[in-house]
Amino acid sequence: MDEPTTVTLPSGHQLTCDTCDGALFEQHRWKLQTTGMTFMNLDWANRDAACFVCVACRRIHWFHL
Ligand SMILES: [Zn+2]
């Protein structure tokens, strides 16, 4: 697992936790895959989501990057 870091979004904003105002996050990148879409050859429907988990309160912040 990556070390917690501060996060700057592509918009230039520094991410702070909605719940506790924390600024350190674990970063994960998860595939948003919908079962059946690949079977139907709709690969465009598969998107990446970046997930930042606040290390203080464990809230997950999702971004579609
Ligand atoms: Zn938090």
Side-chain angles (χ1 to χ4, degrees), residues 20-47:
C20 74
D21 287 332
L24 288 176
F25 299 87
E26 296 167 1
Q27 301 191 35
H28 303 272
R29 197 162 183 89
W30 292 330
K31 279 283 187 193
L32 291 182
Q33 282 201 331
T34 307
T35 304
M37 286 299 179
T38 301
F39 174 75
M40 295 168 65
N41 235 2
L42 295 176
D43 283 335
W44 54 265
N46 294 329
R47 303 285 183 81

Side-chain angles (χ1 to χ4, degrees), residues 17 19-22 54 56-59 61:
C17 178
T19 299
C20 74
D21 287 332
C54 174
C57 73
R58 310 308 294 173
R59 181 181 173 95
H61 300 69

